[in-house]
Amino acid sequence: MFYRSAAVTRTYRLLCSHDSRHLARRVSTAANAVSDGTSAASDGTSTPLDGASAIEKAVTRSGKRRHLIFNNRNGPSLQHFLAQPQRKPGAAANAAEPDEVPYMAVSDWGQGRKYYVEVYGCQMNVSDTEILMAVLNKAGYLRTMDAADADVVFLMTCAIREKAEDRIWSRLAQLKAQRTKTRPERAPMVGVLGCMAERLKERLLEADKLVDVVCGPDAYRSLPRLLSLRAMSADGVANVMLSADETYADITPVRLDANRISVHLSVMRGCNNMCSFCIVPFTRGTERSRDIDSIVEEVRVLSQQGIREVTLLGQNVNSYRDTSQSGAFETQGYGADLSRGFSTIYRRKEGGRRFAELLHRVAQVDPEMRVRFTSPHPKDFPDELLYVIRDNPNVCRNIHLPLQSGSTSCLERMRRGYSREAFLDLVLHIRKVIPDVTFSTDVIAGFCGETEAEHADTVGVMREVGFDMAFMFAYSMRERTHAHRKFQDDVPADAKARRLQEIIDTFHVTARKRNQRFVGTQGLVLYEGLTKRHARPFGSDDHGHKVFLNGSVLADLKPGDYVRVFIDSATSASLSATAIKKTTLSAYYQQFPQPEFGVA
């Protein structure tokens, strides 16, 4: 009799959602065949088929090995579903193990093998790595800090720009050389994970045997099985299926650095914005949010573990929308409006608990835990969200507000949903509600068709706003994006470099000037320890600045302590301060409820 476990049911539901009726018929046929231990031949006859032969048939054609790839376009074939998973004797029906699916009937769950992880790209990749580690550890794998000691080397990759991908290709070539020259008798497997895995799956597997396993952002639960399949001599295996509902909410991450006092907590995944330059919707799928109960509970656990700062994380974090049933948090629709003058190219859904509600609930867990969030979209800053930031002292007063371009015509080509004027109005409105707010931003130089006048508009907005921090890049066209289909990457490389340098120079001039307003004032700093390179004491303030510290009080501080400081000097990138007195977040804001400077 065919047994469908909860994990198999989840996978069945996921696969059917991508190829609906056609794939459902294939799974149903396979289920019936497995019930009597046979497979259906093309002539209608049936032949016995066990798990191993099913896998062999899946990866073999005319005696030649080929790659086994699971994706949204051509999911598993009939043969992939014919092998039943073998339940271990005495195993509980609801035992927490990596997903078991009938077309991956392999019993190897790690058996003490060691893995090594290198993380590239954004903070979401750091969060994904911590989820991945939890899955691997549960499957019996052990983490090693030495790549030379690893049985498997993973690269958690980024695909946002060409330069990021070039780094991975270079690293893969290095790993191949090490495998063939230094450890030919025990060469480690190499796995590519994350956004680059989804974008370049076939190329990665075909590239001169550089990669053994490819696993996309929504498929980490299947990674132990993929490693087992690769061990059965397939040339390469990949699972890059994108999910409409995977959030990993039930997995407790294993922190990369157990001694850190701050963590990033993923609250939603994917993006619906479809900006013309961005690859994220194609590598991470559509938006889906974790339920508010699991998030608040995880923050509560982090507080009990001594974590002093949590950053709520998502590709478009402030579009968070939780529609789950909650016995504790019933408020819905609070803060559902768009920022004034902003629009979307997709139809927004109504209802659910929004980001303002989530941020408020998280802030209430521990008044001594600072709360940040990234990365938001300017369209999702309703007044309710601004009031939560203003009224909760432990919600940091730094807002990331990605500009991308200061030209209305360029913003239209980027499909950003706002004009230059709407962006500037939003900045003024936020500063009116939160007088001591600071802004960070993202800026792209040399987008498709950008003229000198459009570039000048961007530089002008940067001068007018005066961003406190900025991430600035030359445009890099990505395949599959709207820009790749509709536009030409026609700005010469030398023009991009010149415009980028002008943007960088403008930022440093304005940031240095704005940071001078902190000199001679007091502030609150979360002490983080010593810098790696020069062993200088440092911490961070509520406004997102790195603050270098001096003073005799430092002898009494440990990472995670709050300290009141006097700002001595400032650059465009950091502050220097004298530590005055160890304090608490609540005590400091009772004594200093408002900043000593006004709106600049």
Side-chain angles (χ1 to χ4, degrees):
M1 181 176 181
F2 182 74
Y3 175 78
R4 179 177 293 162
S5 66
V8 172
T9 301
R10 282 199 305 276
T11 306
Y12 175 87
R13 201 163 48 235
L14 171 61
L15 293 171
C16 290
S17 70
H18 295 304
D19 203 4
S20 65
R21 288 171 293 182
H22 174 63
L23 185 54
R25 286 195 299 269
R26 291 160 67 185
V27 175
S28 178
T29 302
N32 293 333
V34 169
S35 66
D36 60 4
T38 64
S39 66
S42 58
D43 61 358
T45 62
S46 297
T47 57
L49 185 65
D50 61 18
S53 61
I55 296 300
E56 286 298 306
K57 286 190 176 184
V59 300
T60 305
R61 176 179 294 172
S62 301
K64 182 180 180 180
R65 298 290 182 185
R66 66 183 179 86
H67 305 306
L68 179 61
I69 300 177
F70 302 92
N71 59 36
N72 293 67
R73 295 192 301 277
N74 52 6
S77 67
L78 171 63
Q79 286 84 2
H80 300 153
F81 290 91
L82 295 180
Q84 294 192 62
Q86 300 299 316
R87 185 174 299 280
K88 297 177 182 179
N94 60 350
E97 291 185 346
D99 274 357
E100 295 192 23
V101 291
Y103 54 88
M104 291 186 183
V106 186
S107 60
D108 178 5
W109 286 116
Q111 299 178 354
R113 290 185 177 88
K114 297 179 181 179
Y115 68 91
Y116 176 82
V117 188
E118 296 178 6
V119 186
Y120 300 82
C122 66
Q123 288 298 332
M124 182 60 78
N125 277 359
V126 175
S127 177
D128 278 5
T129 301
E130 294 177 338
I131 291 169
L132 166 80
M133 289 168 57
V135 172
L136 291 173
N137 291 358
K138 189 67 178 178
Y141 288 87
L142 303 173
R143 184 190 180 194
T144 177
M145 304 303 293
D146 183 2
D149 190 39
D151 298 291
V152 189
V153 175
F154 293 114
L155 306 184
M156 181 65 75
T157 64
C158 174
I160 199 70
R161 279 174 291 277
E162 185 176 1
K163 185 176 180 180
E165 292 186 353
D166 289 344
R167 291 181 64 194
I168 299 301
W169 287 115
S170 176
R171 181 62 177 134
L172 288 173
Q174 294 175 5
L175 288 172
K176 181 184 178 182
Q178 293 172 5
R179 293 165 75 184
T180 56
K181 294 180 181 179
T182 62
R183 289 178 55 186
E185 76 290 346
R186 195 172 66 89
M189 288 189 192
V190 174
V192 171
L193 317 172
C195 293
M196 189 172 166
E198 201 289 329
R199 198 180 88 79
L200 297 172
K201 43 198 170 287
E202 290 91 353
R203 183 181 169 193
L204 284 165
L205 291 177
E206 294 292 344
D208 197 22
K209 297 183 179 180
L210 294 178
V211 178
D212 299 286
V213 175
V214 176
C215 188
D218 291 348
Y220 298 137
R221 295 180 194 269
S222 72
L223 190 55
R225 289 299 194 188
L226 296 178
L227 293 170
S228 298
L229 284 171
R230 177 62 186 87
M232 293 179 65
S233 299
D235 281 349
V237 292
N239 185 352
V240 291
M241 298 189 75
L242 293 176
S243 170
D245 53 15
E246 178 63 270
T247 64
Y248 300 109
D250 60 320
I251 295 179
T252 301
V254 175
R255 302 301 172 191
L256 278 166
D257 184 354
N259 297 319
R260 284 191 62 85
I261 59 170
S262 60
V263 301
H264 288 76
L265 192 159
S266 177
V267 301
M268 59 89 67
R269 300 175 69 85
C271 184
N272 293 345
N273 290 318
M274 299 298 290
C275 299
S276 63
F277 55 83
C278 188
I279 192 67
V280 167
F282 302 96
T283 59
R284 288 189 172 269
T286 56
E287 293 177 6
R288 62 272 191 199
S289 300
R290 284 179 59 180
D291 63 282
I292 193 170
D293 291 338
S294 71
I295 297 170
V296 172
E297 178 58 28
E298 186 171 346
V299 172
R300 185 174 291 112
V301 171
L302 292 172
S303 172
Q304 294 169 353
Q305 293 173 348
I307 297 298
R308 293 294 82 193
E309 181 179 272
V310 59
T311 300
L312 305 182
L313 195 63
Q315 268 85 23
N316 185 182
V317 67
N318 53 341
S319 68
Y320 174 88
R321 175 177 170 269
D322 170 30
T323 58
S324 68
Q325 297 295 320
S326 172
F329 310 111
E330 294 299 329
T331 304
Q332 296 200 26
Y334 177 74
D337 296 332
L338 291 176
S339 307
R340 298 182 184 90
F342 288 69
S343 63
T344 68
I345 66 170
Y346 63 91
R347 180 176 296 179
R348 300 180 74 239
K349 296 180 180 179
E350 302 298 325
R353 285 167 287 274
R354 302 287 180 156
F355 188 67
E357 172 75 3
L358 173 66
L359 187 62
H360 171 71
R361 297 296 184 181
V362 168
Q364 302 306 304
V365 170
D366 182 354
E368 292 300 315
M369 175 188 282
R370 290 202 309 201
V371 183
R372 302 184 188 272
F373 59 91
T374 197
S375 176
H377 191 287
K379 75 180 192 313
D380 294 307
F381 278 98
D383 285 349
E384 292 85 352
L385 176 55
L386 301 181
Y387 298 154
V388 170
I389 299 172
R390 179 195 64 187
D391 297 338
N392 289 274
N394 61 330
V395 177
C396 293
R397 294 171 174 83
N398 172 253
I399 290 178
H400 188 63
L401 208 63
L403 171 64
Q404 308 301 2
S405 173
S407 163
T408 297
S409 55
C410 194
L411 288 167
E412 289 176 353
R413 294 197 300 278
M414 290 179 167
R415 304 207 298 184
R416 290 290 289 171
Y418 54 87
S419 65
R420 168 194 177 99
E421 292 73 23
F423 187 91
L424 292 173
D425 288 345
L426 177 62
V427 169
L428 291 175
H429 180 63
I430 293 175
R431 282 179 170 158
K432 182 179 179 181
V433 176
I434 313 170
D436 58 334
V437 71
T438 58
F439 291 112
S440 56
T441 195
D442 299 331
V443 185
I444 296 173
F447 182 66
C448 303
E450 184 186 65
T451 65
E452 290 294 340
E454 290 173 331
H455 166 65
D457 283 344
T458 298
V459 174
V461 170
M462 294 193 69
R463 290 196 182 106
E464 187 168 348
V465 174
F467 294 103
D468 298 82
M469 283 150 280
F471 302 91
M472 302 157 284
F473 305 96
Y475 173 66
S476 174
M477 180 169 276
R478 303 282 79 196
E479 295 178 2
R480 298 168 61 188
T481 61
H482 179 81
H484 184 259
R485 297 193 303 271
K486 299 294 185 180
F487 303 134
Q488 295 294 319
D489 186 7
D490 53 2
V491 179
D494 58 344
K496 286 183 182 179
R498 173 180 53 80
R499 293 175 189 179
L500 176 60
Q501 191 58 54
E502 290 177 8
I503 288 170
I504 292 173
D505 292 344
T506 300
F507 162 73
H508 283 297
V509 169
T510 57
R512 186 178 297 108
K513 180 180 178 180
R514 284 190 61 80
N515 283 349
Q516 295 306 311
R517 75 194 192 279
F518 291 100
V519 177
T521 69
Q522 296 191 72
L524 180 69
V525 170
L526 178 62
Y527 180 62
E528 298 184 36
L530 304 178
T531 60
K532 293 182 179 179
R533 178 173 296 184
H534 300 296
R536 295 180 62 186
F538 80 103
S540 58
D541 66 7
D542 289 355
H543 303 289
H545 298 106
K546 176 178 263 188
V547 184
F548 295 106
L549 302 170
N550 61 77
S552 59
V553 176
L554 294 175
D556 300 325
L557 297 181
K558 65 180 184 301
D561 287 338
Y562 290 102
V563 58
R564 179 159 62 93
V565 303
F566 182 84
I567 309 298
D568 300 311
S569 62
T571 69
S572 61
S574 63
L575 308 177
S576 294
T578 300
I580 299 174
K581 180 182 179 182
K582 181 178 176 180
T583 184
T584 65
L585 190 151
S586 301
Y588 177 84
Y589 281 110
Q590 288 176 359
Q591 186 175 0
F592 304 99
Q594 295 293 332
E596 297 179 7
F597 49 85
V599 179

